[in-house]
């Protein structure tokens, strides 16, 4: 009977790795990865293939400044498999995921990093962990989120849209305001495109929304105050206020499922999350975050409102009304 | 008539009986092209020493790997420990074998043990405190158990080429295993060690990092298809089935709970051959050491501290498994082992040189014990001593546990005369077992193996 020498050594090595693993070890990039540099980028394609005949393009534009870097880290270390499993569970067969990293173009070294659309978690993970988490961010209360709208509108091409007229998804995570316009100077220096003028943020959003369902995810309730109103003006119910950043994947997967009508309603969503071993308290938080958007999609939502909407039939009178009538 | 000769090597004790030595010898002697591991996992430890002094403890690679060209097949249902396999490869390189990974075939259906299983298995053992089972701390048992409770979560070797699938399963496993443990260890003295293992189960980045390591293995040893496995087992020449552990540690025939999750039986060899469509007759050879040994916890009735001076260069006490014990040869345990192993074709015996050094070794021929376990043993009508222990019905762990209790409190009764020399030991062994002793070893290397009978 053996002593398990080699497995002890293997175990010890992994545990030792863990002791020193930190954000800087998962994300080893010390500047923009050459393959994620948007300079000269023509188009990122999401294409059908034999293996993935029904592709659906999904873009995660992650704010990587300051504490927002927690989201890429939790994606890389924990949530990516959950995201894929959930998409699968809600019947989205062939998701193709592109990661973008967003910083502040007025102060950061690498304010825009763009991966490729990928179908396997391995390759998704590769782009994600190639992202350079700058960790800085400007002090102006703004980040260059508008670049994400510009990039998907101008530099992506998806079979789901071209062949099937199905929009892709753009999820931006962030806790700050966008700049009011896409700066033509920044686009010139970062991407190399020549614009005649700055593009107002609303126009950039409208252009992206032609081919994408666009969402802005705020990581926790504490950071709503900084930016929610402005984003509501721009995106309405497509602003999702989460209760903790770790829910980003489950929330995004749920949005895809609900929007695609792959999940019937919130009740079905709860069942799906439960079945995928999401902890009950997280399920509740995810439902609270998604309720307004889910109600938007649900024709029967009005009947569940506390305040009856105009035109809905009056509820049958309660027993006490009859007693006192 | 198949031109493939199939021979299995099955330990008849608690392990440490010389399987490594005899596998190495037979690979050379019969020119075996393949060594099949058909049971257990990384907890095996088969020592091979070469005449030039090089040594390796084979855990997952077949013990024939020092012989150039010999291929190791990890057959389903072996439980594979991928990262340990990489470490073992690195050690083999130091011993001068630089192509071991190029000579291994791993069935894609093999279950894979993960850092989470290893941690969970250790935590269970730590919780047992003084009642520890003597686990190797490798996670083999935990992996097997997990696969029974949650078949959909179990990771197969072939899953490792699909990282998305693997990651999803790993996360499910991690959560499932984690849910079974609280913060406090039931045995407070082990709290620190327990915390270290709990941190593995809490570590959400472990799966990614572990998977990145396994990618290196997959690149060099991609999962083998059923057809590749079958082809290997049909190649003309000799195939050796190298059993891990010994039948007294068998999951069903050992003394519960001091057993390992591994089936050490001609039936498991037969199952692997049949699965590959190989129906040639298999010769089954039993292997034992001239005296009893045991690693870790569990009964060893003939244990004798006076034997501790017997040299044991490769089985140090300590480490995860604990003490290494030595005992006199035990006729009851041998008969029991032969009975549960079923028909064998011959025996191979190691450590025959002990009789040149140790004059006090005696055969244990009976046990003195009270009558509380009389339904699991037979008594000699004349002396009233227990003269046989009885296997239970298949899969009757309660019976096996009673046997273990009996053995734990039995006082051995020894034959009057010490064993004079190797020749008389071999003669006694043949009389006792009714089997020919084909090979005997008188030292650590294949050069010290002597043919005692004409080999078939």
């Amino acid at each position: 009977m053996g002593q398990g020498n080699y497995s002890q050594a293997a175990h010890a090595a992994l545990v030792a790795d863990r002791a020193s693993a930190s954000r800087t070890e998962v994300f080893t990039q010390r500047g923009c990865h050459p393959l994620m540099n948007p300079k000269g980028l023509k188009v990122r394609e999401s294409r059908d293939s034999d293996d993935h005949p029904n592709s659906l393009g999904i873009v995660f534009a992650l704010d990587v400044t300051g504490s927002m870097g927690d989201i890429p880290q939790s994606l890389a270390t924990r949530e990516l498999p959950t995201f894929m499993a959930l998409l699968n569970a809600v019947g989205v067969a062939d998701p193709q995921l592109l990661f973008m990293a967003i910083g502040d173009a007025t102060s950061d070294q690498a304010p825009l990093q763009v991966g490729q659309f990928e179908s396997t978690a391995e390759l998704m993970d590769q782009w994600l962990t190639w992202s350079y988490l700058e960790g800085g961010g400007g002090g102006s209360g703004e980040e260059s989120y508008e670049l994400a709208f510009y990039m998907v509108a101008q530099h992506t091409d998806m079979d789901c849209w071209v062949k099937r007229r199905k929009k892709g998804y753009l999820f931006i995570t962030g806790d700050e305001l966008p700049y009011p316009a896409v700066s033509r100077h920044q686009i010139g220096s970062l991407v190399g495109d020549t614009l005649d003028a700055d593009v107002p943020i609303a126009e950039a959003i409208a252009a992206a929304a032609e081919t994408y369902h666009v969402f802005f995810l705020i990581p926790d309730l504490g950071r709503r105050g900084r930016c929610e109103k402005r984003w509501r003006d721009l995106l309405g119910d497509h602003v999702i206020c989460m209760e903790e950043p770790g829910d980003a994947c489950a929330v995004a997967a749920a949005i895809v499922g609900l929007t695609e009508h792959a999940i019937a309603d919130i009740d079905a969503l709860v069942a799906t999350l439960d079945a995928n071993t999401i902890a009950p308290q997280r399920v509740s938080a995810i439902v609270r975050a998604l309720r307004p958007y889910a109600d938007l999609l649900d024709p029967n939502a009005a009947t569940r409102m506390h305040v009856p909407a105009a035109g809905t039939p009056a509820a049958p009178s309660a027993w006490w009304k009859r007693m006192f009538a | 008539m198949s031109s493939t000769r199939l021979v299995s090597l099955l330990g008849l004790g608690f392990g440490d009986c010389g399987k490594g030595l005899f596998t190495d010898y037979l690979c050379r002697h019969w020119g075996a092209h393949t060594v099949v591991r058909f049971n257990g996992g990384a907890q095996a430890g088969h020592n091979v020493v070469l005449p030039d002094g090089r040594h390796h403890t084979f855990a997952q690679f077949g013990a024939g790997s020092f012989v150039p060209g010999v291929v190791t097949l990890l057959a389903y249902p072996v439980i594979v420990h991928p990262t340990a396999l990489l470490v073992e490869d690195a050690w083999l390189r130091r011993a001068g074998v630089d192509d071991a990974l190029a000579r291994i075939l791993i069935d894609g259906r093999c279950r894979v043990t993960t850092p989470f299983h290893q941690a969970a298995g250790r935590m269970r053992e730590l919780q047992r405190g003084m009642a520890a089972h003597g686990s190797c701390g490798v996670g083999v048992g935990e992996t097997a158990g997990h696969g029974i409770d949650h078949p959909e979560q179990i990771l197969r070797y072939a899953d490792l080429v699909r990282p998305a699938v693997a990651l999803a399963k790993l996360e499910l496993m991690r959560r499932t295993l984690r849910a079974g443990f609280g913060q406090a260890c039931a045995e407070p003295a082990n709290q620190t060690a327990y915390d270290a293992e709990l941190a593995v189960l809490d570590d959400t980045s472990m799966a990614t990092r572990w998977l990145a390591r396994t990618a290196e293995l997959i690149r060099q040893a991609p999962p083998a298809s059923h057809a590749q496995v079958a082809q290997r087992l049909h190649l003309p020449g000799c195939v050796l089935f190298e059993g891990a552990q010994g039948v007294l540690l068998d999951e069903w025939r050992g003394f519960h709970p001091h057993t390992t999750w591994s089936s050490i039986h001609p039936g498991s060899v037969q199952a692997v051959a049949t699965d590959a469509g190989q129906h040639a007759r298999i010769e089954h050879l039993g292997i034992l050491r001239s005296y009893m040994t045991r690693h870790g916890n569990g009964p060893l009735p003939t244990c004798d501290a006076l034997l501790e001076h017997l040299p044991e260069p490769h089985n140090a006490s300590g480490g995860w498994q604990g003490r290494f014990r030595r005992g006199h040869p035990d006729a009851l345990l041998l008969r029991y082992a032969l009975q549960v192993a079923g028909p064998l074709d011959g025996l191979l015996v190691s450590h025959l040189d002990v009789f040149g050094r140790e004059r006090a070794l005696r055969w244990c021929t009976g046990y003195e014990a009270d009558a509380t376990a009389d339904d699991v043993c037979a008594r000699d009508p004349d002396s009233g001593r227990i003269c046989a222990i009885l296997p239970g019905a298949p899969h009757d762990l309660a019976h096996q546990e009673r046997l273990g209790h009996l053995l734990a409190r039995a006082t051995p009764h020894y034959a009057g005369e010490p064993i004079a020399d190797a020749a008389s030991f071999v003669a006694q062994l043949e009389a006792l077992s009714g089997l020919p002793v084909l090979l005997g070893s008188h030292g650590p290397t294949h050069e010290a193996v002597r043919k005692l009978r004409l080999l078939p």
Side-chain angles (χ1 to χ4, degrees):
Chain A
M1 184 83 162
Q3 307 83 349
N5 283 331
Y6 311 110
S7 61
Q8 312 290 6
H11 190 74
L14 280 164
V15 171
D17 268 11
R18 182 194 62 224
S20 59
S22 61
R23 184 184 292 181
T24 51
E25 297 206 44
V26 178
F27 296 91
T28 52
Q29 205 59 34
R30 296 293 170 266
C32 185
H33 192 286
L35 293 176
M36 294 190 83
N37 191 334
K39 186 82 179 197
L41 188 156
K42 296 281 185 290
V43 69
R44 294 297 200 217
E45 298 169 288
S46 163
R47 295 291 178 220
D48 295 345
S49 66
D50 291 345
D51 285 345
H52 303 285
N54 209 15
S55 66
L56 180 67
I58 299 174
V59 176
F60 262 105
L62 304 172
D63 183 341
V64 294
T65 63
S67 64
M68 289 304 296
D70 292 349
I71 289 185
Q73 179 160 26
S74 83
L75 273 172
T77 55
R78 192 166 56 227
E79 295 296 329
L80 209 47
T82 315
F83 183 65
M84 297 303 285
L86 280 175
L87 283 178
N88 194 30
V90 304
V92 176
D94 305 319
Q96 294 199 330
L97 206 52
L98 176 145
F99 284 109
M100 235 186 257
I102 301 289
D104 186 339
T106 64
S107 62
D108 292 345
Q109 294 180 47
L112 178 63
Q113 304 167 58
V114 185
Q116 298 265 21
F117 283 104
E118 300 291 358
S119 305
T120 68
E122 186 186 32
L123 288 167
M124 291 171 196
D125 187 66
Q126 173 201 291
W127 290 109
L128 177 62
T129 52
W130 275 354
S131 302
Y132 167 47
L133 303 192
E134 201 141 24
S140 62
E142 290 150 328
E143 306 285 359
S144 302
Y145 305 110
E146 68 286 353
L147 295 176
F149 299 114
Y150 174 85
M151 287 310 288
V152 300
Q154 293 296 313
H155 291 276
T156 64
D157 193 6
M158 301 181 292
D159 273 353
C160 60
W161 175 252
V162 176
K163 290 187 181 169
R164 295 182 286 280
R165 280 295 177 254
K166 271 172 87 75
K167 289 184 183 182
Y169 289 81
L170 168 63
F171 295 103
I172 301 180
T173 61
D175 59 354
E176 307 255 3
L177 303 173
Y179 285 98
V182 179
S183 150
R184 70 186 183 107
H185 295 298
Q186 286 173 5
I187 291 296
S189 60
L190 287 171
V191 189
D193 292 355
T194 311
L195 298 183
D196 295 337
D198 289 354
V199 181
I201 178 83
E203 279 183 34
I205 290 172
E210 281 182 20
T211 50
Y212 284 85
H213 300 282
V214 174
F215 295 87
F216 190 80
L217 312 184
I218 300 174
D220 60 52
L221 302 179
R223 290 186 256 186
R224 285 176 85 160
R226 292 193 209 169
C227 61
E228 182 184 358
K229 181 169 186 316
R230 173 69 175 141
W231 282 107
R232 289 247 179 253
D233 289 345
L234 292 167
L235 295 174
D237 287 312
H238 287 212
V239 178
I240 310 292
C241 296
M242 300 187 298
E243 294 179 19
E244 58 171 291
D247 288 338
C249 270
V251 162
I255 287 174
V256 176
L258 289 165
T259 315
E260 296 294 307
H261 300 292
I263 314 177
D265 52 24
I266 284 278
D267 293 337
L269 173 64
V270 170
T272 308
L273 294 174
D274 280 341
N276 281 272
T277 65
I278 307 280
Q281 63 272 31
R282 287 187 61 197
V283 172
S284 309
I286 290 164
V287 165
R288 285 193 292 275
L290 284 177
R291 178 78 74 182
Y293 176 68
D295 284 349
L296 195 68
L297 299 176
D298 185 350
N300 301 318
T303 61
R304 292 198 306 267
M305 298 280 176
H306 294 301
V307 181
T312 48
S317 61
W319 59 271
W320 58 270
K321 281 192 181 164
R322 270 180 269 124
M323 280 185 74
F324 294 101
Chain B
M1 182 71 190
S2 165
S3 58
T4 311
R5 179 178 191 183
L6 308 173
V7 182
S8 81
L9 305 175
L10 303 165
L12 295 177
F14 295 108
D16 302 307
C17 54
K19 291 177 291 285
L21 167 67
F22 287 117
T23 302
D24 178 56
Y25 174 86
L26 289 175
C27 277
R28 297 168 195 274
H29 194 76
W30 284 334
H33 54 68
T34 304
V35 172
V36 182
R37 287 286 312 275
F38 62 90
N39 68 347
Q43 84 277 50
H46 299 174
N47 289 294
V48 176
V49 182
L50 297 186
D52 64 11
R54 283 182 288 154
H55 161 251
H56 184 76
T57 304
F58 287 93
Q60 294 186 81
F61 287 101
S65 299
F66 273 127
V67 184
V70 172
V71 167
T72 296
L73 168 62
L74 299 187
Y76 176 69
V78 167
I79 294 177
V80 179
H81 191 312
T83 44
L85 200 54
L86 289 169
V87 175
E88 188 178 354
D89 176 58
W91 279 91
L92 264 171
R93 281 172 197 278
R94 289 192 216 178
V97 178
D98 54 11
D99 63 342
L101 278 182
R103 291 193 274 135
I104 194 167
L105 208 58
I106 304 173
D107 192 319
R109 294 170 293 169
C110 283
R111 290 161 292 174
V112 171
T113 193
T114 68
F116 305 130
H117 292 119
Q118 192 157 314
R122 288 169 174 212
M123 287 160 75
R124 277 188 228 293
E125 186 80 337
L126 289 168
Q127 302 247 41
R128 291 182 194 119
M130 293 303 285
H133 292 177
S135 158
C136 290
V138 176
V140 170
E142 192 68 33
T143 310
H146 195 145
I148 291 166
D149 294 341
H150 302 278
E152 77 291 351
Q153 293 185 6
I154 204 70
L155 199 59
R156 307 262 168 198
Y157 190 65
D159 290 335
L160 296 179
V161 299
R162 297 180 298 162
V165 173
L167 270 177
K169 284 188 176 181
L170 282 164
E171 178 61 9
L172 275 176
M173 277 176 196
R174 188 185 70 78
R175 291 185 192 206
T176 306
L177 290 170
R178 179 63 182 86
F181 293 97
Q183 296 294 337
C185 179
E187 171 58 51
N190 290 336
Q191 186 67 43
T192 311
Y194 182 89
D195 286 344
E197 304 300 336
L198 193 63
V200 174
L201 286 182
D202 279 330
D203 185 347
T204 51
S205 71
M206 179 65 85
T208 328
R209 285 183 292 115
W210 178 78
L211 209 53
R213 290 252 169 121
T214 64
E216 193 189 327
L217 176 65
I218 287 289
R219 190 169 50 76
Q220 299 177 75
S225 66
H226 187 247
Q228 283 171 289
V229 171
Q231 189 202 13
R232 203 22 58 201
L233 292 182
H234 282 85
L235 282 185
C238 177
V239 174
L240 291 179
F241 289 81
E242 178 187 358
Q245 294 88 40
V247 74
L248 296 182
L249 291 172
D250 182 272
E251 53 186 321
W252 297 115
R253 293 309 191 177
F255 307 116
H256 187 74
H258 304 288
T259 59
T260 188
W261 285 78
S262 159
S263 196
I264 304 144
H265 194 270
S268 12
V269 181
Q270 190 66 58
V272 168
T274 306
D275 175 65
Q278 172 56 277
H279 301 292
R281 189 180 109 74
I282 304 171
E283 296 163 59
H284 298 290
L285 302 179
I287 305 188
L288 63 157
R289 182 194 278 238
S290 52
Y291 53 98
M292 298 298 294
T293 58
R294 180 157 199 160
H295 235 130
N297 283 354
L300 183 64
T302 61
C303 179
D304 187 343
L306 294 176
L307 300 175
E308 277 183 13
H309 63 277
L310 291 176
E312 198 62 46
H314 306 302
N315 285 309
S317 290
W320 184 263
Q321 238 189 327
R323 215 152 62 85
F324 186 84
R325 292 174 286 162
R326 300 159 180 81
H328 296 270
D330 186 330
L332 284 76
L333 284 181
L334 174 65
R335 265 201 300 263
Y336 174 84
L338 290 168
Q339 201 178 345
V340 297
L344 300 177
D345 295 272
L347 298 178
L348 315 178
V349 187
S350 69
H351 294 77
L352 286 176
D353 50 326
V354 73
F355 300 108
R357 268 194 303 275
E358 177 57 60
R359 303 287 173 197
L361 282 168
R362 292 189 289 173
W363 276 102
C364 165
T365 56
Y367 302 139
E368 314 275 4
D370 56 51
T372 51
D374 271 4
D375 53 327
V376 296
C377 64
R379 285 186 187 264
D380 181 73
D382 299 329
S383 65
R385 279 191 286 270
I386 293 171
C387 62
I389 57 168
L390 307 174
H395 302 184
D396 181 356
L397 290 185
H399 181 100
Q400 298 308 114
E401 194 165 6
R402 286 173 60 74
L403 279 181
H405 285 308
L406 169 66
L407 294 176
R409 62 175 196 277
T411 315
H413 173 82
Y414 293 108
E417 293 297 310
I419 299 163
D421 52 25
S424 52
F425 179 78
V426 168
Q428 287 155 1
L429 196 57
E430 291 194 330
L432 201 72
S433 64
L435 289 168
V437 177
L438 305 174
L439 297 174
S441 86
H442 291 260
T445 79
H446 65 86
E447 288 182 347
V449 173
R450 295 188 197 155
K451 280 185 239 178
L452 301 176
R453 293 188 174 254
L454 203 58
L455 285 187

